[in-house]
Each structure stands twice: as C-alpha cells, then as structure tokens.
Amino acid sequence: DHTDTKFYDQYLKKMLEKKPPYPLLKGFLHRVVGLYPDSRTWFDGGAGTCGTMEALLNAGKDVKGVEISDVRKTSCAGMSSAGRVVQATLDSIPYPDGAFDVVFSSEVLEHVPPSLAAASVNELVRVAAKDVFVTISLRRSGLDPRRGPTKVHLTVRTRAWWETLFVQAGCEVNRGNLRAMEEYDEARYGTRPNFFSFTCSKGGGGGQGGRVGSD
C-alpha cells in the first residue's frame, strides 16, 4: 500500500506549481524558523515544488528534503542536481538517524495512506536530532468526494490521533512552541493551519531508512 507517485506527479503540476508553497502562502514559515534560532540543518519532508526549501536556504539554513514526485523533472530540478532533494517517500527516508536539527513537514502527512502513517511519523522522528514541526490537514480535501474513498487526503484523522503517533515514536508535545504560534492573522491568511510541534528523544522512530541521499 504505497502512495500513487504518478498521481502526485500530476497533482504537483496541476495544483502545487500554480501557487506559493503552503508555509509561504499562509505566512508562517518565518515564525517557525524563529522558534529554532540556533538550528543549522533542516529537513523538509514532502518538498513539493521545493519553494519551502529555497526559502529555508535564503534564511541561512542547510536544508535537505525528500519528495514523492520525480524531482528531476519538476521545479525541484535545481535542488535535485545539487543533491539537496531526492525522490523518496516519508516511510523510508534516506538519511541517517538524528541528521537534522529541525524536521519540518507541511500539509503532507494527510496524503500518506493510513497503513503507512505510523511508519512515516517514525521516520520523521528518526532523522530528527530533537525537534519536529509539522502542519497536517485534519479534513477531507476539497478535491475529494464528500463521502466514500478519498484520493487526495488519504488519512483524515483527529489531532489527538496524530499526536499519539508522535508520542509513540518517542516525542513530547512542545506546548511552548504551540503557544508561540497561537496568534494568527486569519483576516490576511485565511483559516489557521493545524500546527504540531514536538521535542523528540534522540534515536527515536526506529524506522527503516538510514541511507545517505545519493539515489
């Protein structure tokens, strides 16, 4: 049960490349960066168009990432040739344990099939030295039917359900960070994203990755 890579190639071309990446569109990336002033290495899980990675590079961060679509043929091509992003799924991240000061993923986990949700969370935690910050949609996509099986948001669950997966992977909710993100300008940016912040034990996750990204 793996995510449909061909579907996401088309989803990226038809939907994502027509607008700024979500963390920039919703105006919160700079605030997340500000939560971790001493961080140097960042990971973007589900890089999409690589616009978020470019913004993190511009903010002075050493960033790597994975993306399910063919990064050699999208707006990620430059990042791909530079060895910063590789084509991979979140349930098998090709980087070593604890490789990144901050692991970031925005509006990606809801696209993962339910059978791979725990493995994907475990992998995000595994490659984090300590800090994980994600946003997750908790409702059906507007592109999905109102009832029956979904194609876009494959795992629609509650906040408590996702938090439990991260806690089981060796994390604690970072409530200080969540308080810092409470203020949000919905008049300017629309509906507030679902922010999740975790502090995780080193070597958590117990996943199956570990290859340095050289695919």
Side-chain angles (χ1 to χ4, degrees), residues 159-175:
R159 181 179 194 90
W161 189 88
W162 285 110
E163 286 184 343
T164 297
L165 287 189
F166 278 94
V167 169
Q168 290 174 342
C171 304
E172 295 181 353
V173 176
N174 187 326
R175 302 199 183 280

Side-chain angles (χ1 to χ4, degrees), residues 45 90 93 103-106 108-110 112 117-128 130-136 138 158-174 194-201 204-206:
L90 290 190
I93 298 173
V103 166
F104 179 79
S105 183
S106 183
V108 175
L109 282 168
E110 67 271 18
V112 171
S120 298
V121 167
N122 286 347
E123 281 288 86
L124 290 171
V125 173
R126 180 185 64 78
V127 298
K130 184 177 72 170
D131 291 302
V132 177
F133 192 101
V134 302
T135 72
I136 309 171
L138 305 179
T158 64
R159 181 179 194 90
W161 189 88
W162 285 110
E163 286 184 343
T164 297
L165 287 189
F166 278 94
V167 169
Q168 290 174 342
C171 304
E172 295 181 353
V173 176
N174 187 326
N194 299 296
F195 298 121
F196 294 77
S197 182
F198 301 97
T199 302
C200 306
S201 58

Side-chain angles (χ1 to χ4, degrees), residues 40-128:
R40 185 180 65 85
T41 55
W42 281 60
F43 174 80
D44 188 8
T49 63
C50 288
T52 297
M53 290 183 65
E54 289 177 7
L56 288 169
L57 277 176
N58 291 337
K61 304 305 179 183
D62 181 4
V63 60
K64 301 285 179 69
V66 298
E67 167 56 26
I68 191 171
S69 57
D70 189 344
V71 293
R72 299 166 300 177
K73 300 177 181 179
T74 69
S75 53
C76 286
M79 290 282 188
S80 174
S81 61
R84 289 198 173 274
V85 65
V86 297
Q87 185 176 17
T89 54
L90 290 190
D91 59 291
S92 186
I93 298 173
Y95 291 102
D97 295 2
F100 302 99
D101 296 332
V102 180
V103 166
F104 179 79
S105 183
S106 183
E107 305 299 289
V108 175
L109 282 168
E110 67 271 18
H111 295 279
V112 171
S115 61
L116 298 177
S120 298
V121 167
N122 286 347
E123 281 288 86
L124 290 171
V125 173
R126 180 185 64 78
V127 298

